[in-house]
Amino acid sequence: DDEMRRVVYGGTFNPPHLGHIQAVCSVSNALKPDKLLIMPTFLAPHKEMSGDTPPPEERMELCRLAFGELPGVEVSDLEMRRTGKSYTSDTILELKAMYPGDELMFVMGTDMILSLETWHAPEVILENAALAVLLRGDPADGQVPTHIEHLKQRYGGTITLVEAPVYPASSTELREALKRAGGRELLSDEVYARIIKRRDYGAKAALSWL
């Protein structure tokens, strides 16, 4: 049986921080994928990318540094190559065509599952991939089980819950901290070093690091 379980963890990863790395480890432990694909978004359909966002190939490189050493993890440039708005439904159909026999699972957070019906073609998503929802202690987590029942009744599909302990890192606050020579403790050493060398996000080096 060559069917592989491919788990897709997408996001802007702007920048990829220790919270993301911890989430990937939680997902890996809970879902035991054969391949875990980290999928940086080219253009997020639902949120504005902040003005200081580095070019897509730089976010790609930061993701390779952040996740590249984790076993079974691969950083995918599928959405980067496609350009335009990164619709999850398109990504899932593309993966389905590439790996027709495989089981596809798509990871999302509480806010994403609750807003799923406002997304582009939610029925395509649920028909072609199982969903894994990361519960990270979000105040809205309590609404998730009822909402999952609603989605299953309306669209069918498979939705799993994953308890993912939260690492206190917000990308928005992290980008601000980097401009003030902070943020180092929220990033892996390799990612921090590259951000400082390339002045991504207008980052200033922590004096202790120099």
Side-chain angles (χ1 to χ4, degrees):
D1 178 27
D2 289 341
E3 177 172 305
M4 281 176 70
R5 171 177 279 194
R6 284 174 196 274
V7 173
V8 181
Y9 181 56
T12 48
F13 301 115
N14 193 24
H17 54 61
L18 295 180
H20 294 129
I21 294 174
Q22 188 186 38
V24 166
C25 292
S26 298
V27 165
S28 197
N29 292 333
L31 302 175
K32 308 273 184 283
D34 297 295
K35 263 277 181 260
L36 204 160
L37 298 176
I38 303 283
M39 182 102 41
T41 305
F42 179 74
L43 207 60
H46 281 275
K47 59 177 170 186
E48 284 298 306
M49 301 284 242
S50 74
D52 55 10
T53 299
E57 46 289 345
E58 177 63 9
R59 274 188 300 127
M60 201 55 211
E61 194 47 47
L62 292 172
C63 282
R64 286 198 190 98
L65 290 173
F67 307 108
E69 297 303 303
L70 301 173
V73 174
E74 198 178 287
V75 179
S76 165
D77 65 353
L78 189 95
E79 294 191 344
M80 292 288 185
R81 284 200 318 266
R82 200 169 65 219
T83 72
K85 284 196 171 178
S86 302
Y87 292 118
T88 299
S89 52
D90 292 345
T91 301
I92 286 171
L93 289 176
E94 208 168 322
L95 287 168
K96 195 89 182 155
M98 287 160 72
Y99 312 110
D102 289 3
E103 179 193 3
L104 281 181
M105 293 190 85
F106 196 86
V107 177
M108 50 179 61
T110 293
D111 53 334
M112 295 159 86
I113 192 80
L114 293 176
S115 67
L116 188 69
E117 288 177 283
T118 68
W119 289 24
H120 182 72
E123 66 289 347
V124 171
I125 297 172
L126 282 155
E127 199 174 309
N128 293 286
L131 302 184
V133 183
L134 290 186
L135 295 179
R136 311 190 52 134
D138 193 305
D141 281 358
Q143 298 167 38
V144 171
T146 325
H147 193 68
I148 285 177
E149 282 317 304
H150 159 75
L151 290 172
K152 282 181 176 167
Q153 280 173 8
R154 186 166 173 194
Y155 303 98
T158 311
I159 306 173
T160 312
L161 295 174
V162 176
E163 294 286 338
V166 69
Y167 191 97
S170 127
S171 299
T172 312
E173 286 164 23
L174 175 52
R175 290 193 298 269
E176 288 310 308
L178 284 165
K179 292 178 180 56
R180 300 189 305 266
R184 184 187 170 188
E185 70 290 349
L186 297 176
L187 296 162
S188 75
D189 292 345
E190 298 79 4
V191 170
Y192 182 73
R194 183 170 175 103
I195 284 175
I196 294 304
K197 287 201 181 82
R198 301 189 51 107
R199 305 260 193 293
D200 293 338
Y201 307 104
K204 294 185 179 67
L207 290 176
S208 61
W209 184 79
L210 298 168

